[in-house]
Amino acid sequence: MIDIKWKILRPNETIYELAEELEIPTEIASCYYNRGLTTKDKIVNFINTNLNNLYDPFLLPDMDKAVDRVCKAITNRELIHVHGDYDVDGITATAIMVFILLRLNANFTYYTPHRIEDGYDLQIKHIESAKKNGVDLLITVDCGIRATEALKYANQIGMDVIVTDHHLAPDDFLPSAYAIINTHRKDSNYPFVDLAGCGIAMKFAMAIGKKLGLGEEFIFDNLLDYVVLGTVADMAPLVDENRIIVSRGCDKLLCTKKVGLQKLLKVANIKDNVDTTSIGFYIGPRINAIGRLSDSMTALNLMLETNNDRAELLAKQLDTANKRRQQLQNKIYDEAVSLLPQDMSNTYVITVATKSWHPGIVGLVANRLTDTYGVPSMVGVIEGGIVHGSCRSTPNFPIIDAMRQYNDLFIKYGGHAYAAGFEITLGNFKKLEKLINDYAKDYFGGDYKPSKIISIDSLIRPEDVNENLYLHLVKLSPFGINNPEPIFAVKKVNIFDITIFGNGKYAKFKFKKHDNNRWVMGTWWKKNDERCKLENEMLVDIAFKIKSENWQGKTNYVAIVEDIRPSE
């Protein structure tokens, strides 16, 4: 079991000054301070999510060149082909390009690859297929920056390729392409590097639209519902431009006019509110599931569908795939756990692979293993002596850097600092197991013990859980990477009226101070945690997030518990 530690931010002079200057509760000032927002101007800018604050897309390297090439292709009726990716980011990025090209009456085709049959990224076979079909200009979205061989082949046969991607280039080496639009380019002066693939696709669409007379308002009205899905699902940092995109995009998605998205919200049972939680846990997984288990084009077709009946059928296919994904994920996770040593004290990176696992699910299992055991995980499926795998890491260990140390062992690899994919021979995977564990041991230190840190933004009293505090909290949303939902804590409170649900999976209870009758309702989804069995009148400390619940026309403010520990 991972050791859970609390890190409590104590109020300081700056926090008190911010609270007074902005006329906000000290607890809220602590939340801003804890996110690096240490001045009034920074906080005001953070709260302002006006779309006018998005940066000029022409600040991106090669944007002028890429836009001119697309305009030329549209004017000359050249055949354009859009090549996407099979995850939510790649599917929505493809939908964005399809929408803008359709609106501009371009001559084009599009494709999102099959995860198992095609594999990741642009490949030589895709260039060959495009050439056979008469493609003059190929545009990648959410991929291509590492497709060195495919791009080299495209140059050899005289096909122009525009790469739009947000992934890191291999060793900062840019492949040869007609244009490369990527915020991570070393020569980029673009103010924000962390756009998702769909965010870069939207920037490209904005630039094309600006050149050909489509205003930004048209782009925002028609594309933000796509961009918010990909940005949240790809776990892009929710700061700067992404914060604006997601804040405005959630509103657009809730009232979307796109039939396909309407049907998707319906099967996900999203009715009154769209936020990062509903996208991350209910909408995104349904889109990803079809790409993991079957053909991602099904999800893309849903995004673009205008017929009610067809959209409903496609949405149901995504829902069915998601249920199947959940079953497979649980099965593979249990099997992976059975392969782990009973004593995990010398395991700094989990490395497991078998022949029977589904390649579309191993990334999810790696994520769950890392969450459970607090160490990076590499999970793969063995096919023909090759391990095809995914890895997920902890916030304190950039696994892509570790993989670079053993670059010669991999057939290929790529991704982000804390999530990546790879191919490696089975023999080298076995070598890697020891090598990467030794690397991680040195990196962490020999006496390292996995732990989960719960950052507490502020200590409060039960009576502070009220409408005023909640309305201030809403201004910090949307929550996600680099802007976590605030966590508060109360100390030395009594719990009572405990009710257990779901065969011990979660509990509801009330808590209050012994000298105050003001109580708060709490829900704990980890009731079976051995560290703290619940008993009436226990004296405990509770870490929690604050949510609003509507019941019989009344709004209540409740605690969603992160951790409970006996009071000292």
Side-chain angles (χ1 to χ4, degrees):
M1 183 179 296
I2 300 176
D3 184 29
I4 298 179
K5 300 177 180 178
W6 293 15
K7 180 182 177 183
I8 302 174
L9 175 69
R10 303 292 180 179
N12 56 38
E13 186 175 344
T14 300
I15 290 173
Y16 288 124
E17 289 174 354
L18 287 173
E20 183 177 357
E21 190 174 10
L22 292 163
E23 297 181 347
I24 59 177
T26 303
E27 297 84 2
I28 297 298
S30 293
C31 294
Y32 287 123
Y33 183 89
N34 213 18
R35 285 151 186 76
L37 304 169
T38 55
T39 67
K40 179 181 178 180
D41 287 345
K42 287 182 179 180
I43 293 171
V44 170
N45 289 335
F46 181 82
I47 293 173
N48 183 359
T49 56
N50 193 306
L51 289 166
N52 292 330
N53 292 330
L54 295 178
Y55 305 121
D56 183 350
F58 284 99
L59 293 174
L60 283 160
D62 281 358
M63 184 63 83
D64 283 293
K65 185 180 181 182
V67 169
D68 287 344
R69 182 65 185 90
V70 170
C71 292
K72 176 187 173 184
I74 293 173
T75 300
N76 296 336
R77 303 301 295 164
E78 293 180 87
L79 182 58
I80 302 170
H81 181 68
V82 180
H83 182 94
D85 190 22
Y86 43 64
D87 65 359
V88 183
D89 192 18
I91 291 167
T92 53
T94 307
I96 288 164
M97 292 310 302
V98 169
F99 186 94
I100 192 71
L101 292 174
L102 191 64
R103 179 67 176 79
L104 295 170
N105 196 31
N107 179 25
F108 72 98
T109 59
Y110 54 91
Y111 180 69
T112 55
H114 192 291
R115 180 187 288 263
I116 298 171
E117 295 177 5
D118 289 309
Y120 174 71
D121 215 343
L122 183 69
Q123 299 174 31
I124 290 176
K125 65 181 180 180
H126 299 132
I127 302 294
E128 290 174 336
S129 176
K131 181 66 174 178
K132 182 179 178 181
N133 292 327
V135 170
D136 301 294
L137 172 63
L138 190 147
I139 300 171
T140 74
V141 289
D142 193 35
C143 65
I145 196 67
R146 301 182 72 92
T148 306
E149 294 303 315
L151 293 172
K152 186 186 298 183
Y153 179 69
N155 285 332
Q156 291 172 358
I157 65 174
M159 182 182 295
D160 289 342
V161 180
I162 296 172
V163 173
T164 77
D165 198 355
H166 71 124
H167 296 96
L168 301 174
D171 300 320
D172 297 325
F173 171 77
L174 289 180
S176 178
Y178 183 87
I180 297 176
I181 303 172
N182 188 310
T183 55
H184 292 285
R185 283 180 55 160
K186 292 297 183 182
D187 60 344
S188 175
N189 293 316
Y190 195 77
F192 182 58
V193 299
D194 287 322
L195 288 170
C198 61
I200 291 179
M202 184 187 76
K203 290 291 179 175
F204 194 20
M206 287 171 65
I208 296 169
K210 187 174 183 179
K211 186 84 170 182
L212 296 180
L214 294 179
E216 288 188 351
E217 187 175 344
F218 173 84
I219 298 294
F220 296 147
D221 283 346
N222 289 281
L223 298 182
L224 276 178
D225 46 8
Y226 287 147
V227 188
V228 67
L229 287 173
T231 301
V232 173
D234 217 54
M235 301 182 72
L238 295 192
V239 295
D240 208 296
E241 283 196 301
N242 286 341
R243 174 175 167 79
I244 298 171
I245 288 168
V246 173
S247 178
R248 298 302 178 183
C250 284
D251 296 334
K252 287 289 184 186
L253 183 57
L254 182 62
C255 58
T256 183
K257 297 176 182 177
K258 296 183 177 71
V259 174
L261 293 183
Q262 290 173 355
K263 298 301 182 183
L264 181 57
L265 293 178
K266 183 178 178 182
V267 297
N269 199 30
I270 306 298
K271 299 176 182 178
D272 302 320
N273 181 54
V274 170
D275 57 16
T276 52
T277 299
S278 54
I279 293 173
F281 288 92
Y282 301 104
I283 305 172
R286 285 171 166 81
I287 303 171
N288 266 330
I290 199 77
R292 292 182 184 281
L293 302 179
S294 186
D295 189 353
S296 61
M297 284 293 289
T298 305
L300 179 58
N301 290 337
L302 175 63
M303 297 276 167
L304 303 170
E305 187 56 69
T306 58
N307 178 275
N308 266 293
D309 292 338
R310 287 197 296 267
E312 187 166 356
L313 178 63
L314 290 169
K316 287 179 179 178
Q317 289 180 30
L318 266 62
D319 195 46
T320 300
N322 190 50
K323 291 173 182 175
R324 174 64 177 152
R325 184 272 306 170
Q326 291 171 326
Q327 294 170 349
L328 279 173
Q329 183 178 338
N330 290 334
K331 178 177 180 292
I332 295 172
Y333 173 80
D334 290 341
E335 292 175 0
V337 170
S338 72
L339 297 176
L340 301 179
Q342 286 191 337
D343 181 5
M344 293 284 290
S345 60
N346 292 315
T347 300
Y348 296 87
V349 178
I350 292 171
T351 52
V352 287
T354 75
K355 294 180 179 180
S356 62
W357 294 342
H358 195 291
I361 304 297
V362 292
L364 298 173
V365 173
N367 190 69
R368 188 170 168 188
L369 288 170
T370 292
D371 188 54
T372 302
Y373 293 97
V375 296
S377 300
M378 305 182 74
V379 183
V381 56
I382 305 168
E383 185 177 357
I386 305 296
V387 179
H388 307 266
S390 292
C391 43
R392 300 293 185 271
S393 194
T394 53
N396 56 349
F397 186 77
I399 197 160
I400 198 77
D401 291 346
M403 296 168 79
R404 287 195 184 106
Q405 303 300 313
Y406 310 104
N407 185 68
D408 57 328
L409 292 181
F410 292 94
I411 298 170
K412 62 180 181 179
Y413 69 93
H416 304 286
Y418 305 103
F422 63 89
E423 287 185 13
I424 189 171
T425 65
L426 180 58
N428 281 348
F429 186 69
K430 292 177 179 178
K431 292 178 184 177
L432 182 69
E433 180 175 8
K434 182 178 188 310
L435 289 171
I436 204 164
N437 263 279
D438 288 345
Y439 174 89
K441 182 178 180 179
D442 291 341
Y443 186 93
F444 287 127
D447 58 351
Y448 173 76
K449 292 183 179 179
S451 62
K452 176 182 178 181
I453 306 295
I454 297 180
S455 295
I456 310 294
D457 286 285
S458 180
L459 290 174
I460 62 174
R461 304 164 300 176
E463 55 266 36
D464 294 325
V465 181
N466 55 36
E467 182 181 29
N468 181 52
L469 187 67
Y470 180 78
L471 291 178
H472 280 289
L473 277 177
V474 170
K475 292 181 181 179
L476 276 88
S477 67
F479 301 119
I481 303 298
N482 286 13
N483 184 33
E485 188 170 358
I487 298 176
F488 301 97
V490 290
K491 284 193 168 187
K492 296 184 177 179
V493 294
N494 295 107
I495 58 174
F496 60 101
D497 286 358
I498 302 169
T499 306
I500 308 299
F501 297 92
N503 294 320
K505 290 183 179 179
Y506 73 101
K508 283 185 177 290
F509 54 86
K510 298 173 183 176
F511 62 88
K512 68 179 186 68
K513 286 279 193 178
H514 75 280
D515 58 352
N516 191 316
N517 287 327
R518 172 67 168 84
W519 55 266
V520 176
M521 177 65 74
T523 300
W524 193 21
W525 290 91
K526 299 178 180 179
K527 186 267 153 190
N528 55 359
D529 195 322
E530 292 295 332
R531 294 174 305 106
C532 188
K533 291 294 184 182
L534 301 182
E535 296 178 4
N536 280 308
E537 300 306 322
M538 281 182 69
L539 192 64
V540 296
D541 303 338
I542 306 175
F544 59 93
K545 298 173 182 176
I546 299 174
K547 301 285 188 182
S548 67
E549 288 185 353
N550 294 305
W551 177 251
Q552 295 181 340
K554 182 182 179 182
T555 301
N556 298 305
Y557 301 96
V558 300
I560 306 300
V561 176
E562 291 290 308
D563 190 39
I564 299 178
R565 64 186 189 186
S567 297
E568 295 179 353

